[in-house]
């Protein structure tokens, strides 16, 4: 239970508060349209009026939130400000994209409810015009305002007009269609299969959010949904006058013809703050994109991995951070996130980029990866850097015991951490709180080990020289292999160094038994908080998080942290 509270307590609290506010807004605005002011509107629409307006209020609230989790510079500032006070609170900011997705799902849900309710509303509006009888209150209400059209209740002004025409000839209709189409494209292109295989599609369609927010702000300017004005309520009490609608306007009836008006648009009040912050965010990114970046070295590693070593004036980083990289010669619009693999102690910053898509392939070719000779410095492409930005890995040295789990190219943030450890011990830094690091690397192919092996070999020698071999325990797992490779491994298994990595620690085959690993670590480090850091696929994350929650022997706590960008 203690582990569950430590790992998920604050997250669950935030989600419950968010859901509670959504629930409160829905109920509050649903009830707000059941008062006398909207009595005659409900005569035409029934409860579909409340079912349309309540989700609209929730939409305003969630659209206020949707931009905040993607304001990277704002989050980085907040993270740096609060992590000294509350490590748990800082960890919640690392889940910004998860919250962004949850808010998007909520927007999609309330949009669907809002649209369905309004489809019913327009059918009811149309029915009121088609049933043309002065003996029917809905028709009498629909006929109000036909003279000067100043105080109408029914936006469909005649029985010859269709809801489709109203949809495409009114501000509410046009903006509603634009908002809905933009939202559908944004959500469908955000599916993982599209985002991973066709990142450009995801990237470009996500910028439809501009159309979405413009449409959202102007959606209510038509004031189609109307209620009785406060002054009209004094001269026409619907509870008394509704049954005498045929005598409205006659002196002896005491019931004047009701006057109607729409609410002033209020969505802008919800979203103007986040929109301003996001504009500031984009201006900061624009400024950074024009700062000069120099590529000092390009290294082509096996398994089509490109290493870029760069320098930029005033650049300062911490372990595990990431940057967004743009290459104008490849695309002036696309920015892609990459973890920094250099250490803060080095005089440059670097990123290892695996060639897996069109953009990375174009960058690979621009840097001369497809040419046998070394690319001359002046021919290297210009680069733009935004960042660095904080991640969960920044907190690694705040734990006495640390588990680092990387899968494939997901090892990159731990390269920075392990390099920094190496530098700290060279410099005899006594301020290192961390006493033990357990490093696990799961990789599907032998070639991927090669670019990282040099670092591990240096660490292995350094720790042995300083009699600190117990400080770093590393376990490297090969999860897939060919028959020819297996035969080679068997022949060289008894060699002093591993045939794959060149390390004294032998490569393991298959996947770790996480239950055993967590049990052993808990037994070795009682009364400790163990920081578990993962950069890898969601399935592995779920498995590790489950282990963190289930292993609560004695007072050992496993705190789960996942890279999320």
């Amino acid at each position: 239970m203690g582990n569950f509270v430590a790992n998920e307590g604050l997250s669950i609290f935030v989600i419950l508060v968010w859901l509670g506010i959504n629930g409160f807004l829905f109920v509050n605005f649903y009830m707000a349209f059941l008062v006398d002011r909207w009595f005659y509107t409900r005569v035409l629409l029934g409860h579909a009026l409340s079912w349309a307006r309540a989700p609209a209020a929730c939409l305003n609230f969630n659209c206020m939130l949707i931009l905040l989790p993607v304001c990277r510079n704002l989050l980085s500032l907040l993270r740096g400000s609060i992590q000294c006070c509350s490590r748990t609170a800082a960890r919640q900011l690392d889940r910004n994209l998860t919250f962004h997705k949850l808010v998007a799902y909520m927007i999609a849900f309330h949009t669907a409810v809002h649209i369905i309710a309004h489809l019913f509303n327009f059918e009811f509006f149309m029915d009121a015009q088609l049933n043309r009888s002065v003996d029917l209150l809905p028709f009498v209400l629909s006929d109000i305002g036909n003279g000067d059209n100043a105080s109408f209740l029914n936006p469909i002004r005649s029985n010859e007009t269709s809801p489709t025409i109203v949809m495409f000839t009114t501000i509410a209709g046009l903006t509603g269609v634009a908002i809905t189409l933009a939202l559908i494209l944004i959500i469908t292109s955000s599916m993982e299969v599209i985002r991973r295989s066709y990142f450009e599609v995801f990237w470009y369609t996500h910028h439809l959010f501009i159309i979405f927010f413009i449409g959202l702000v102007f959606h209510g300017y038509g004031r189609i949904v109307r209620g009785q004005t406060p002054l009209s309520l004094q001269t026409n009490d619907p509870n008394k006058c509704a049954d005498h609608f045929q005598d409205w306007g006659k002196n002896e009836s005491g019931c004047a013809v009701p006057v109607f008006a729409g609410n002033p648009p209020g969505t802008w009040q919800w979203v103007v703050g986040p929109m301003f912050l996001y504009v500031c965010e984009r201006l900061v990114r624009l400024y950074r994109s024009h700062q000069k970046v120099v590529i000092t070295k390009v290294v082509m590693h096996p398994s089509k991995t490109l290493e870029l070593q760069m320098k930029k004036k005033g650049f300062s980083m911490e372990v595990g951070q990431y940057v967004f990289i743009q290459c104008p010669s490849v695309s002036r619009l696309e920015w892609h996130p990459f973890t920094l693999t250099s250490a803060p102690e080095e005089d440059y910053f670097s990123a290892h980029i695996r060639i897996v898509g069109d953009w990375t392939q174009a960058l690979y070719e621009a840097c001369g990866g497809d040419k046998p000779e070394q690319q001359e410095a002046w021919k290297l492409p210009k680069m733009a850097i935004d960042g660095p930005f904080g991640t969960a890995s920044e907190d690694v040295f705040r734990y006495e015991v640390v588990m680092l789990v990387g899968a494939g190219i997901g090892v990159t943030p731990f390269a920075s951490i392990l390099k920094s450890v190496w530098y700290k011990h060279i410099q005899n830094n006594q301020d290192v709180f961390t006493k033990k690091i357990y490093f696990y690397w799961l990789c599907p192919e032998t070639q991927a080990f090669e670019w990282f092996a040099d670092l591990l070999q240096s660490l292995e020698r350094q720790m042995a020289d300083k009699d600190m071999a117990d400080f770093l325990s590393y376990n490297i797992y090969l999860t897939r292999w060919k028959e020819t490779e297996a035969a080679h491994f068997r022949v060289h298994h008894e060699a002093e160094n591993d045939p794959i990595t060149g390390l004294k620690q032998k490569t393991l085959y298959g996947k770790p038994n996480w239950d055993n690993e967590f049990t052993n670590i808990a037994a070795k480090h009682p009364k400790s908080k163990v920081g578990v850091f993962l950069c890898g696929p969601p399935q592995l994350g779920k498995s590790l998080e489950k282990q963190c929650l289930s292993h609560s022997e004695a007072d050992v706590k496993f705190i789960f942290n996942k890279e999320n960008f």
Side-chain angles (χ1 to χ4, degrees):
M1 185 64 184
N3 272 352
F4 179 80
V5 172
N7 279 287
E8 304 297 335
L10 187 56
S11 294
I12 291 174
F13 175 75
V14 171
I15 296 299
L16 288 177
V17 169
W18 170 64
L19 290 173
I21 294 174
N22 273 281
F24 170 77
L25 288 172
F26 193 97
V27 172
N28 185 60
F29 275 80
Y30 189 98
M31 301 301 294
F33 285 85
L34 299 180
V35 299
D36 288 347
R37 185 193 169 191
W38 304 97
F39 182 94
Y40 290 128
T41 316
R42 293 197 306 277
V43 169
L44 295 182
L45 306 179
H47 282 276
L49 171 65
S50 290
W51 278 103
R53 301 313 301 159
C58 294
L59 277 171
N60 287 338
F61 170 63
N62 287 286
C63 289
M64 176 185 73
L65 297 178
I66 192 71
L67 289 177
L68 297 178
V70 292
C71 290
R72 301 192 292 260
N73 290 285
L74 174 64
L75 292 180
S76 188
L77 177 64
L78 289 175
R79 200 181 195 288
S81 302
I82 67 175
Q83 69 177 352
C84 58
C85 306
S86 173
R87 186 164 58 199
T88 304
R91 285 174 55 237
Q92 305 313 305
L93 297 178
D94 299 326
R95 303 182 180 185
N96 59 318
L97 293 186
T98 300
F99 186 65
H100 177 72
K101 293 173 186 176
L102 288 175
V103 173
Y105 295 146
M106 187 67 80
I107 288 174
F109 170 74
H110 286 298
T111 298
V113 176
H114 183 72
I115 290 172
I116 292 170
H118 269 319
L119 290 175
F120 278 102
N121 286 338
F122 274 98
E123 285 300 319
F124 293 145
F125 279 137
M126 195 70 228
D127 289 344
Q129 284 289 7
L130 292 175
N131 298 321
R132 303 183 69 80
S133 172
V134 293
D135 295 326
L136 296 174
L137 178 56
F139 173 71
V140 172
L141 290 170
S142 297
D143 205 41
I144 292 174
N146 268 348
D148 54 12
N149 208 35
S151 178
F152 66 85
L153 177 60
N154 191 337
I156 298 179
R157 303 308 303 140
S158 75
N159 60 350
E160 297 177 357
T161 305
S162 71
T164 305
I165 293 174
V166 174
M167 184 182 298
F168 290 99
T169 57
T170 61
I171 295 175
L174 287 171
T175 55
V177 170
I179 290 170
T180 304
L181 290 176
L183 187 62
I184 290 172
L185 289 171
I186 289 171
I187 290 177
T188 53
S189 66
S190 299
M191 296 170 62
E192 184 144 348
V193 63
I194 294 177
R195 195 173 70 249
R196 291 193 176 275
S197 303
Y198 306 98
F199 185 84
E200 291 81 3
V201 174
F202 160 76
W203 179 262
Y204 290 125
T205 54
H206 238 62
H207 283 77
L208 290 173
F209 82 92
I210 298 171
I211 293 174
F212 178 87
F213 273 92
I214 292 173
L216 189 70
V217 169
F218 287 99
H219 186 58
Y221 272 79
R223 304 191 186 190
I224 282 184
V225 178
R226 294 171 166 243
Q228 207 172 349
T229 65
L231 288 176
S232 177
L233 283 169
Q234 297 177 15
T235 59
N236 185 308
D237 183 352
N239 296 298
K240 297 177 182 179
C241 298
D243 295 332
H244 310 288
F245 63 90
Q246 292 173 326
D247 297 325
W248 285 352
K250 297 178 182 179
N251 293 330
E252 63 274 12
S253 69
C255 295
V257 176
V259 178
F260 301 98
N263 283 335
T267 298
W268 67 271
Q269 297 173 340
W270 291 83
V271 300
V272 66
M275 288 174 70
F276 173 77
L277 289 174
Y278 189 77
V279 168
C280 293
E281 169 81 15
R282 295 308 291 250
L283 290 174
V284 170
R285 295 184 196 177
L286 181 65
Y287 169 74
R288 284 180 169 175
S289 69
H290 286 85
Q291 292 179 312
K292 186 178 180 180
V293 177
V294 177
I295 299 177
T296 58
K297 189 176 183 181
V298 177
V299 183
M300 305 299 173
H301 292 286
S303 194
K304 292 203 79 173
T305 299
L306 172 69
E307 180 185 357
L308 295 179
Q309 296 183 9
M310 297 165 281
K311 288 186 177 182
K312 178 182 176 182
K313 186 177 179 180
F315 189 90
S316 177
M317 62 164 287
E318 297 294 333
V319 294
Q321 291 186 325
Y322 69 98
V323 294
F324 276 78
I325 297 179
Q326 181 204 53
C327 181
S329 63
V330 174
S331 172
R332 289 189 172 275
L333 297 177
E334 292 184 48
W335 292 80
H336 294 265
F338 294 98
T339 305
L340 292 171
T341 53
S342 52
E345 292 83 359
E346 293 175 312
D347 62 352
Y348 64 88
F349 63 95
S350 65
H352 283 70
I353 301 168
R354 189 180 177 193
I355 314 305
V356 292
D358 294 340
W359 188 89
T360 51
Q361 180 64 37
L363 179 64
Y364 181 76
E365 293 172 3
C367 293
D370 57 340
K371 298 179 178 65
E373 69 277 2
Q374 188 76 20
Q375 187 87 312
E376 295 181 34
W378 63 274
K379 290 184 179 180
L380 291 173
K382 291 183 178 180
M383 306 294 289
I385 299 294
D386 185 24
F389 301 107
T391 66
S393 296
E394 272 190 81
D395 297 332
V396 67
F397 293 128
R398 294 174 177 266
Y399 293 94
E400 190 172 2
V401 182
V402 174
M403 287 179 68
L404 307 177
V405 183
I409 198 68
V411 76
T412 49
F414 307 137
S416 174
I417 292 169
L418 295 176
K419 280 184 181 181
S420 187
V421 167
W422 188 77
Y423 279 110
K424 289 180 188 301
H425 284 288
I426 283 180
Q427 298 164 2
N428 292 316
N429 190 331
Q430 301 299 319
D431 297 330
V432 180
F433 178 68
T434 304
K435 305 302 181 188
K436 180 68 177 180
I437 294 178
Y438 294 90
F439 174 58
Y440 300 84
W441 188 13
L442 288 65
C443 215
E445 54 185 14
T446 56
Q447 291 84 359
F449 289 114
E450 296 177 28
W451 73 269
F452 199 55
D454 289 343
L455 171 63
L456 290 177
Q457 289 171 15
S458 298
L459 280 170
E460 191 175 56
R461 289 194 301 268
Q462 181 69 24
M463 296 303 161
D465 291 344
K466 289 185 172 289
D467 197 24
M468 294 183 62
D470 291 335
F471 176 79
L472 174 65
S473 296
Y474 51 92
N475 296 282
I476 300 175
Y477 290 83
L478 183 64
T479 57
R480 291 200 298 267
W481 57 88
K482 299 175 184 176
E483 286 299 324
T484 54
E485 293 175 331
H488 176 73
F489 300 154
R490 283 194 295 269
V491 171
H492 295 88
H493 182 71
E494 299 300 328
E496 182 179 358
N497 293 336
D498 185 76
I500 301 176
T501 62
L503 297 167
K504 294 186 182 300
Q505 173 70 40
K506 298 299 176 67
T507 297
L508 304 170
Y509 304 98
K511 295 181 180 179
N513 184 325
W514 291 117
D515 187 60
N516 288 345
E517 297 295 332
F518 275 78
T519 301
N520 292 335
I521 291 172
K524 291 177 181 177
H525 304 282
K527 300 181 180 180
S528 298
K529 277 190 177 182
V530 181
V532 181
F533 294 84
L534 166 70
C535 188
Q539 297 85 349
L540 180 57
K542 291 178 182 177
S543 176
L544 291 178
E545 192 166 14
K546 183 179 177 181
Q547 294 293 337
C548 287
L549 297 176
S550 62
H551 284 79
S552 53
E553 294 88 349
D555 49 0
V556 175
K557 289 185 179 179
F558 289 89
I559 312 299
F560 182 69
N561 303 267
K562 186 180 186 302
E563 297 297 316
N564 190 18
F565 62 87

